[in-house]
Amino acid sequence: MSDERNSRILVVEDQAAISMLVEDLLVDSGYDVVGPASSMEQAMDITRSSAIDGAVLDIQIGDTPVYPLADLLHSIGVPFIFSTGYQGTTIPERFKGVPVVEKPYGSEAFVGALQTALRGAAKPRQSRSSAA
């Protein structure tokens, strides 16, 4: 993407306070926020029906891992980053190249990870079972 400014970023976060923080960081950095989505169903619906340029995905939404949404985003070519409050979170092999920011994160680390994803420097690798 040649100009990241005004990119539409989907926020998927189930904790309202963190969601507001992420929204503020994105808006202050020149991005447009889509959502936020606080459930997987809502996030999948937004992804299928809205034009988005990138996404910030909390790894765990309630009791549900966000990986099916990450697979969908990857399949339609939308870059994303993961955020997590769990140190040492194990990311599936197919997402090893995706930037991960650990909560609490600073604005520079967060925005830097998103910029890296938007520039396409960190694309998820397909697993052998999903490669066709």
Side-chain angles (χ1 to χ4, degrees), residues 3 20-21 27-28 30 45 48 58 70-72 77 97 99 108-109 131-132:
D3 184 11
M20 288 187 286
L21 170 70
V27 169
D28 290 348
D45 288 345
R48 290 182 181 118
D58 183 0
D71 287 326
L72 174 60
E108 288 182 25

Side-chain angles (χ1 to χ4, degrees), residues 20-37:
M20 288 187 286
L21 170 70
V22 170
E23 286 181 79
D24 288 346
L25 284 172
L26 291 171
V27 169
D28 290 348
S29 298
Y31 298 101
D32 293 331
V33 174
V34 178

Side-chain angles (χ1 to χ4, degrees), residues 29-130:
S29 298
Y31 298 101
D32 293 331
V33 174
V34 178
S38 59
S39 71
M40 282 293 291
E41 181 179 352
Q42 185 181 25
M44 294 291 246
D45 288 345
I46 291 171
T47 299
R48 290 182 181 118
S49 65
S50 301
I52 56 175
D53 301 304
V56 176
L57 309 178
D58 183 0
I59 286 179
Q60 192 78 18
I61 301 300
D63 294 332
T64 307
V66 76
Y67 303 125
L69 176 60
D71 287 326
L72 174 60
L73 290 167
H74 177 66
S75 74
I76 61 175
V78 175
F80 55 90
I81 64 172
F82 290 122
S83 69
T84 183
Y86 304 102
Q87 291 184 343
T89 298
T90 302
I91 306 291
E93 183 65 30
R94 68 188 183 277
F95 300 119
K96 288 297 184 186
V98 174
V100 178
V101 290
E102 291 186 357
K103 302 172 189 174
Y105 39 77
S107 60
E108 288 182 25
F110 175 83
V111 172
L114 182 60
Q115 288 172 341
T116 296
L118 290 174
R119 288 185 188 121
K123 295 201 182 283
R125 291 182 285 184
Q126 283 193 331
S127 67
R128 291 178 194 263
S129 61
S130 66

